[in-house]
Amino acid sequence: MDKDKIDKKDHILDVAERVFSEKGFDGASTRLISGEAGVNMAMLNYYFGSKEGLFLAIFQRKISSFQNILQNLGNDETIGAWEKMEKYIELYGEKIVNNNCFQRLLYQEMGMNRSNDLSDKLRDMLLKNVTELDKILNEGIARGEFKKDIDIPMVIATLYGTKNYILNTPLIASALLRYDIQDEKMIEARLKPQIKSFMKNLMKAYLLNN
Amino acid sequence: MDKDKIDKKDHILDVAERVFSEKGFDGASTRLISGEAGVNMAMLNYYFGSKEGLFLAIFQRKISSFQNILQNLGNDETIGAWEKMEKYIELYGEKIVNNNCFQRLLYQEMGMNRSNDLSDKLRDMLLKNVTELDKILNEGIARGEFKKDIDIPMVIATLYGTKNYILNTPLIASALLRYDIQDEKMIEARLKPQIKSFMKNLMKAYLLNN
DNA sequence: TTGCATTAATCAATCGTTTGATTAATTTTG
DNA sequence: CAAAATTAATCAAACGATTGATTAATGCAA
């Protein structure tokens, strides 16, 4: 069946996404990935051509869904800039748990700035998400909702940096927050609300005229 | 001479620090490191025992200097909490350029949470730096300088997360800030002042009673 | 000469990939 | 429908290349 084939490819991609995010591209051997996925080693090359092709396929699977999520928000004319900001933070807080492995993998790959097609695509992808936030912030200034001397690029760096710091250093973050952020229940019950709440308060204090 | 030997070891460590930070532990082969350092491959094992030993030596060289930099600040009784916070941001902003490669390497290694001695040591090291910041923030609350409902762990995550985001994704950060943050001159002339200034304003807005 | 530093050569292990063969599924043909 | 032909999926085995590490020989200063 075609369905089984897609499911199997999807399963391989799921496993590979996790293993790559845990071990890095070079650290994750094709033997380990195929072993954990329960498929023969040759299947990786059969389906994805090469290890790099597999790596690329992981990202391509997500890129499309990533693209249009935030775009609607930015173009909404009915709500103010601060409301958009709040909704942006909500969306961004939700995605923390959902794409944990992928986020790790994404920024890990961006870290070592290789000069290949993949890195270029990923950078474009991330910059598109960032652009939406940029629009919201500029709109807020233009409307007089936000202070006019805010540092927009740094705000963006803060928003994503804080999230990445917590996700990418789970042991340190767990020690800081005093609960295990690797535990899915804890993420849902405590981490997500805490991040959202904090980031709203932080942005409120920095962006808004008081 | 003993001096030459130490210099050569130091040179190898410098090169290895850079190569590891660029390629990751698994991606950086001993042949590449020794080649870039201009020494025979066997010298790495001769000096450091193994690849992992070399990796460990990079961190051990820095750990000692890391340790006591911030401790004096925290114990200073003559200045207020907000002043300490400002000085902390100054110190933290300065170190951005100095230990660029090392910072990358450090958080890259923390990212893939291996369970070995090295990761434990690194975690302890980072947590010690974090503890000083924690003390300052608690002191600020106790003194009534800071709002009493601030989220201390998240503030710490923001401070380090923002810095790491910029350092670890240089291409994205350069696109955001509209100047090349890989250029040493730009780091000195623009990035460092901008980060310090922004972070002070951000913290002022969030921490202080208005 | 003695002891440390350095080298080229070599080691076993593992890497990503390819192969040829076999099985399962699908399509075509009579 | 049933048999034959074709395609797709899967496998164990092996490939050459590269890995980290070791060896034995050499260089060299004290």
Side-chain angles (χ1 to χ4, degrees):
Chain A
M1 293 279 260
D2 216 23
K3 204 58 173 300
D4 283 355
K5 179 185 158 190
I6 293 176
D7 286 350
K8 174 166 277 188
K9 286 181 77 169
D10 246 47
H11 174 242
I12 293 175
L13 286 172
D14 287 336
V15 173
E17 186 177 314
R18 178 176 56 78
V19 177
F20 273 132
S21 79
E22 286 170 358
K23 307 256 181 183
F25 180 81
D26 298 290
S29 72
T30 54
R31 283 171 177 78
L32 177 60
I33 294 172
S34 60
E36 299 235 343
V39 301
N40 189 277
M41 212 171 41
M43 298 310 294
L44 302 190
N45 295 293
Y46 180 74
Y47 280 131
F48 306 103
S50 67
K51 184 185 185 182
E52 196 173 302
L54 169 60
F55 195 65
L56 200 103
I58 294 173
F59 290 100
Q60 285 175 329
R61 186 173 60 152
K62 299 255 174 167
I63 285 182
S64 53
S65 73
F66 252 53
Q67 217 65 284
N68 294 326
I69 294 179
L70 298 168
Q71 238 150 33
N72 300 330
L73 178 61
N75 296 331
D76 192 338
E77 303 284 350
T78 65
I79 59 176
W82 173 246
E83 278 181 274
K84 285 185 184 177
M85 196 66 196
E86 279 188 315
K87 288 197 176 183
Y88 193 99
I89 292 173
E90 284 288 332
L91 285 171
Y92 134 108
E94 278 307 316
K95 273 206 289 194
I96 279 185
V97 63
N98 305 338
N99 299 99
N100 199 324
C101 289
F102 180 71
Q103 294 286 333
R104 290 258 290 270
L105 185 50
L106 180 61
Y107 282 95
Q108 188 185 301
E109 175 61 18
M110 290 307 307
M112 42 189 80
N113 44 355
R114 300 184 166 104
S115 50
N116 52 25
D117 290 340
L118 176 57
S119 287
D120 292 344
K121 285 181 186 172
L122 296 180
R123 197 177 64 247
D124 290 344
M125 187 179 98
L126 290 174
L127 283 176
K128 268 186 186 160
N129 287 359
V130 153
T131 302
E132 293 303 317
L133 188 49
D134 191 274
K135 274 170 55 181
I136 295 175
L137 290 168
N138 274 308
E139 183 189 327
I141 296 177
R143 281 178 170 226
E145 287 187 55
F146 299 165
K147 296 174 189 160
K148 60 183 180 303
D149 61 344
I150 61 175
D151 190 333
I152 292 181
M154 290 299 298
V155 168
I156 297 172
T158 295
L159 210 65
Y160 284 97
T162 304
K163 182 201 65 170
N164 287 346
Y165 183 85
I166 291 171
L167 289 187
N168 294 345
T169 63
L171 293 177
I172 291 180
S174 294
L176 261 178
L177 296 168
R178 300 185 193 284
Y179 56 83
D180 182 12
I181 69 155
Q182 317 230 50
D183 180 357
E184 290 252 354
K185 292 175 192 167
M186 284 297 185
I187 294 179
E188 204 63 38
R190 303 191 60 178
L191 180 59
K192 277 164 64 170
Q194 187 171 4
I195 287 188
K196 290 179 189 174
S197 168
F198 167 76
M199 201 48 79
K200 285 180 190 173
N201 287 331
L202 182 68
M203 288 298 122
K204 199 187 298 177
Y206 179 75
L207 296 178
L208 295 186
N209 294 304
N210 45 7
Chain B
M1 291 280 260
D2 216 22
K3 203 59 170 303
D4 284 353
K5 181 183 157 190
I6 293 176
D7 284 351
K8 174 168 277 189
K9 286 181 72 169
D10 246 46
H11 174 243
I12 293 175
L13 287 172
D14 287 336
V15 173
E17 186 176 312
R18 177 177 56 79
V19 177
F20 274 132
S21 78
E22 286 170 358
K23 306 255 181 182
F25 181 81
D26 297 290
S29 71
T30 55
R31 280 171 178 77
L32 178 59
I33 295 173
S34 60
E36 298 235 343
V39 301
N40 188 278
M41 206 177 51
M43 300 307 295
L44 302 188
N45 295 293
Y46 181 73
Y47 281 133
F48 306 103
S50 67
K51 184 186 184 182
E52 197 172 300
L54 168 61
F55 195 65
L56 201 102
I58 293 172
F59 290 100
Q60 285 175 329
R61 185 172 61 150
K62 300 255 175 166
I63 285 181
S64 53
S65 72
F66 252 53
Q67 215 66 282
N68 295 325
I69 294 179
L70 298 168
Q71 235 147 35
N72 300 329
L73 178 62
N75 296 331
D76 191 338
E77 302 284 351
T78 66
I79 58 176
W82 173 246
E83 279 181 274
K84 285 185 183 178
M85 197 64 196
E86 280 188 314
K87 289 197 175 185
Y88 193 98
I89 292 173
E90 284 289 331
L91 285 171
Y92 135 107
E94 278 308 316
K95 273 206 287 193
I96 279 185
V97 63
N98 305 338
N99 298 99
N100 199 324
C101 289
F102 180 70
Q103 295 286 333
R104 290 258 289 270
L105 186 50
L106 179 61
Y107 282 95
Q108 188 184 301
E109 175 62 19
M110 290 307 307
M112 40 190 82
N113 43 355
R114 301 184 165 102
S115 52
N116 52 26
D117 290 340
L118 175 58
S119 287
D120 292 345
K121 285 181 185 173
L122 296 180
R123 198 176 63 247
D124 290 344
M125 187 180 97
L126 289 174
L127 283 175
K128 267 184 185 162
N129 287 359
V130 154
T131 303
E132 293 302 317
L133 188 49
D134 192 274
K135 274 170 55 180
I136 295 175
L137 290 167
N138 274 308
E139 184 190 327
I141 296 177
R143 281 177 169 226
E145 287 186 55
F146 299 165
K147 295 174 190 160
K148 59 183 179 304
D149 61 345
I150 62 176
D151 190 332
I152 292 181
M154 290 299 297
V155 168
I156 297 172
T158 295
L159 211 65
Y160 284 97
T162 303
K163 182 202 62 170
N164 288 345
Y165 182 84
I166 292 171
L167 289 187
N168 295 344
T169 63
L171 293 177
I172 291 180
S174 294
L176 261 178
L177 296 167
R178 301 185 193 283
Y179 56 84
D180 182 13
I181 70 156
Q182 314 229 52
D183 180 357
E184 291 251 354
K185 292 174 191 168
M186 284 297 187
I187 295 178
E188 203 64 39
R190 303 189 60 177
L191 180 59
K192 278 165 64 171
Q194 186 170 5
I195 286 189
K196 290 179 188 175
S197 169
F198 167 76
M199 201 48 81
K200 284 181 191 173
N201 287 331
L202 182 69
M203 288 297 122
K204 200 188 297 178
Y206 179 75
L207 296 177
L208 295 185
N209 294 304
N210 46 8

